[in-house]
Amino acid sequence: MLRPVPRFWLLFDIVGSAIGLLLTLPVTFTFAAGTMSRWIPDGVASYALVLLVAVILWGAAAISRIAPALALIVAWVGALLQMACGFSPGAYDLAILGVLFATSAWGSIRLLWLGGASALGGGLIAGLYMSLVNEQDLIQDAATGLRVAVLAGLLGAVSVLTLVMAWGAGLLWRLVLRGRSTREAQVRAEAIAMAEQERVRIARDMHDVVAHSLAVVIAQSDGARYAAVADPAQATAALTTIGQTARAALSDVRLLLAQLRHSEGEGPQPTLADLETLYAQVRAAGVEPRVTVDPTPPGEPSASIQLAVYRILQEALTNAIRHGAGDVDVRLSWYADAVHLEVRNAVPPAPRQASPEHGHGLIGMRERAQLVGGTLSAQPEDGAFVVRAALPVAPATA
């Protein structure tokens, strides 16, 4: 029955209705010209009844926002009391327009249609009532009934049009409010989707950083263990590489975790300039990347393409360290409309059960390619595992 309404609007309706009552009562008394009712003599009783009707109608307007259903009932009570007392329409009847507006603007669907029915039925009843009340003012002859019917039709049409316009204005405002709420819901849904995409991106970056760094650390620790007795200097160098790789990974992970806490953070965003550092880490792990870039980039590729190339190369080289045998061949071909990437590494004759084809790395590489509109394939070929990617490139900046 009661809607949650901000205190400001509740006070606004109450004060506005009080002002409407104070303004319309003098106008009503002025135009009544001493004949308030057709069958109640003018006097204290008739004026008190007019005041009561006006208070009821404007009281309905005062609660129309917080309780539109109750306001419609109260307005009907006031209108029926007005007709029962034989009062002609007065300026205080403007309150009914506010009630009808509220039923269609803030009421339920059922109340919306009840308000529309009230506007239509109330207008017809008002037209008939006004024609009967003014019957004595018409010429009394054999055609009096026809005159009453014509007058009822005209007044009814005017009343219906007035009431329906107020109801229709509320319906229009209802559509405006629904459009706003739909837009707000859309904005919230887009924000949730963007946050989810950001979490997925951070998770992908976390996987790339941790998987690559751990692969280097594992390879170096194995080498250090074997070289600890035969070549202590080599073991020391391996331990140094492990420390450097772990510190770099820890720094990247901290940045990613900070980005989780603060969504506006940028986080680590590698570029093509960081590929040399990536290749150095791979060499430190005991795998030599033979890199070929032909043709070279014609300009500065977009940041999204640079990030995609870096992450795909990082994951492919990580898989080569973990699952491959020997060195790895890397080829980058920068064309005007696309960059083609190929990573080829030999695999042992009997691959271990945990192959890259069944891990999250391959899924992550494919997602990286798809995010920029490209494609990626990864499959064994002639004793080697080959990763190929084709990523569309926007016009480069010189």
Side-chain angles (χ1 to χ4, degrees), residues 79-257:
L80 292 175
L81 179 61
Q82 178 183 358
M83 289 186 288
C85 294
F87 296 140
S88 298
Y92 53 76
D93 288 313
L94 292 175
I96 297 175
L97 303 182
V99 173
L100 291 174
F101 178 93
T103 58
S104 57
W106 302 299
S108 63
I109 296 298
R110 179 179 297 178
L111 184 60
L112 167 69
W113 294 115
L114 285 176
S118 297
L120 181 60
L124 295 176
I125 293 173
L128 179 61
Y129 168 76
M130 286 186 290
S131 64
L132 293 176
V133 167
N134 292 286
E135 178 185 3
Q136 297 178 2
D137 296 333
L138 302 175
I139 300 174
Q140 300 296 315
D141 56 19
T144 299
L146 177 61
R147 292 191 185 94
V148 171
V150 172
L151 182 62
L154 292 175
L155 294 176
V158 173
S159 300
V160 168
L161 181 60
T162 303
L163 297 179
V164 169
M165 286 181 62
W167 178 83
L171 180 59
L172 180 60
W173 183 245
R174 183 190 192 95
L175 296 176
V176 171
L177 294 178
R178 178 171 296 182
R180 287 181 180 176
S181 62
T182 301
R183 176 56 183 165
E184 291 173 356
Q186 180 181 357
V187 170
R188 289 194 297 270
E190 290 176 353
I192 293 173
M194 291 178 62
E196 182 63 25
Q197 292 177 359
E198 185 68 6
R199 284 193 292 268
V200 172
R201 185 192 69 80
I202 293 172
R204 189 183 299 115
D205 285 347
M206 186 78 75
H207 170 271
D208 294 342
V209 169
V210 173
H212 173 74
S213 301
L214 287 181
V216 174
V217 168
I218 291 171
Q220 286 293 312
S221 62
D222 290 340
R225 186 174 65 252
Y226 296 135
V229 177
D231 190 354
Q234 185 65 28
T236 301
L239 293 174
T240 301
T241 301
I242 290 174
Q244 292 174 347
T245 303
R247 279 191 292 272
L250 180 60
S251 176
D252 286 347
V253 168
R254 282 175 174 171
L255 286 173
L256 288 168
L257 292 177

Side-chain angles (χ1 to χ4, degrees), residues 4 11 43 50-51 72 145 147 149 170 203 236 262 264-265 323 358 368 382:
L11 293 175
V50 169
L51 177 61
L72 183 62
R147 292 191 185 94
T236 301
H262 308 284
E264 68 273 11
H323 306 290
H358 300 90
R368 287 284 180 187
D382 300 328

